[in-house]
Amino acid sequence: MATTVDTEPRRVAVLAYDGMTAFEMGIAAEIFGLSELSDLFWPGVDRPWYDLRLCTETRDKVRIVGGATLSTPHGLSELAAAHTVIIPSVADIRAPVSPRLIDAVREAADRGARVVSFCSGAFVLAAAGLLEGKRATTHWRYTAMLQERYPAIDVDPRPLYVDEGAVLTSAGCSAGVDLSLHLVRLDYGPQIANVVARSLVAAPHRSGGQAQYIESPMPDHGDDTTITDSMTWALAHIDLPISLDELADRAMMSRRSYLRQFTKATGTTPIKWLIAQRIDISLELLETSDLSVERIAGMVGFGSVVTFRHHFTRIMNTSPSEYRSTFTAA
């Protein structure tokens, strides 16, 4: 007999609109709509997964790119009543946002709901006034327009997603996967989020601060893998104090050439990349072990716990101890 846990499902409402693509809707459906995941995570326990609702502004069918149509019994009243509201990319960033949609999004936010945008859905959140005075992102193509139209928003074109607490925004469509997994981590903890990621064959954790756009994702000098080889070596020796000169030596390049090639390949500098990797690796240690913060700082290559705390707080907007407490509570 299944054990009953007194837990209501977290309702997630996703806006469906005429002219949308199925991709972003599919991200939400795959992560928040698979009820069988509850049996995987909590075998023998009657504990529900998320309750997903696709919501439309009217009762009319909406057309999806490719010729399909979608009908759903859920409307804006269900969207306003959800625990988490997800607004995917809008059909036209230049078109005014429906006043009825703005009212529903504001009602959800006033109720204390978590309001989320994928890609250009940030324009809806901006029109509802939810991003004013906050940091936010959207697809890199639209960041300049978002900033021009809503100057009170601190628009950041760099990250995959931005978590401002009750309001979260993500970059281009695939960054919606990263943000959705981040939500699962907040709600159910890192281990369950990692299982979901594995089921999607997705990276279990890409921090929001990772660059969303890189001009040249891999070095463009033929089959030469010296940059990527040096990065692989650095990850294997993450506990060591690695310098730019040492990385350059590993790649058999001058310091200047290595810096230029690395930045071209990754969109960031070697030291910034290395610090981000150290912080990312520390997350799992904080989440899944009872090692001291001082011990973890050494394991990921920071010379002192003070340096670790400084970079952790700068990247994660919280301290290592507070981060650990959040996921212990989750």
Side-chain angles (χ1 to χ4, degrees), residues 13-292:
V14 182
L15 179 69
Y17 57 88
D18 201 53
M20 74 182 304
T21 68
F23 179 57
E24 290 172 75
M25 182 176 62
I27 291 172
E30 190 73 21
I31 293 176
F32 303 110
L34 298 181
S35 59
E36 61 266 27
L37 288 176
S38 62
D39 294 329
L40 175 63
F41 299 139
W42 306 293
V45 178
D46 186 14
R47 182 174 184 178
W49 188 236
Y50 296 93
D51 176 14
L52 179 71
R53 304 287 176 92
L54 299 179
C55 303
T56 53
E57 187 170 339
T58 70
R59 299 300 181 184
D60 298 333
K61 293 181 179 180
V62 295
R63 294 167 295 179
I64 299 174
V65 172
T69 58
L70 169 71
S71 63
T72 175
H74 308 301
L76 291 183
S77 60
E78 286 90 342
L79 183 138
H83 298 95
T84 299
V85 173
I86 297 178
I87 307 297
S89 301
V90 297
D92 183 358
I93 60 174
R94 296 172 181 80
V97 179
S98 159
R100 292 184 64 235
L101 177 57
I102 289 176
D103 289 344
V105 171
R106 285 176 176 166
E107 181 181 344
D110 290 343
R111 267 188 40 261
R114 187 169 54 188
V115 185
V116 178
S117 68
F118 292 166
C119 196
S120 60
F123 284 83
V124 174
L125 274 56
L130 302 187
L131 299 180
E132 188 168 343
K134 292 183 172 63
R135 181 167 163 261
T137 195
T138 184
H139 192 289
W140 58 268
R141 288 179 177 170
Y142 307 137
T143 52
M145 182 176 293
L146 183 65
Q147 186 69 85
E148 180 180 354
R149 191 178 300 175
Y150 302 98
I153 301 173
D154 179 12
V155 180
D156 190 340
R158 298 167 297 177
L160 290 172
Y161 60 84
V162 172
D163 181 348
E164 287 284 280
V167 182
L168 303 94
T169 53
S170 74
C173 300
S174 64
V177 175
D178 300 290
L179 180 50
S180 296
L181 289 173
H182 175 67
L183 296 176
V184 175
R185 288 166 69 88
L186 293 175
D187 293 339
Y188 292 110
Q191 293 177 324
I192 288 180
N194 290 347
V195 173
V196 175
R198 284 197 296 272
S199 73
L200 298 174
V201 197
H205 179 73
R206 291 201 299 170
S207 65
Q210 183 166 328
Q212 61 167 288
Y213 175 65
I214 299 172
E215 186 70 39
S216 176
M218 290 298 293
D220 59 357
H221 34 83
D223 296 327
D224 190 348
T225 61
T226 50
I227 297 295
T228 52
D229 288 347
S230 70
M231 295 167 73
T232 300
W233 177 86
L235 290 174
H237 299 83
I238 200 71
D239 59 319
L240 301 178
I242 302 169
S243 67
L244 174 58
D245 287 332
E246 187 167 9
L247 288 171
D249 288 344
R250 287 277 165 184
M252 294 183 289
M253 293 183 183
S254 69
R255 177 189 177 101
R256 182 175 179 180
S257 294
Y258 183 81
L259 180 60
R260 183 178 66 252
Q261 293 290 351
F262 190 101
T263 303
K264 184 178 181 181
T266 66
T268 188
T269 67
I271 299 305
K272 287 182 179 179
W273 172 83
L274 188 58
I275 289 172
Q277 299 310 304
R278 296 189 195 279
I279 296 301
D280 270 357
I281 293 170
S282 78
L283 297 182
E284 185 172 357
L285 294 171
L286 289 166
E287 295 161 4
T288 61
S289 78
D290 57 2
L291 294 169
S292 69

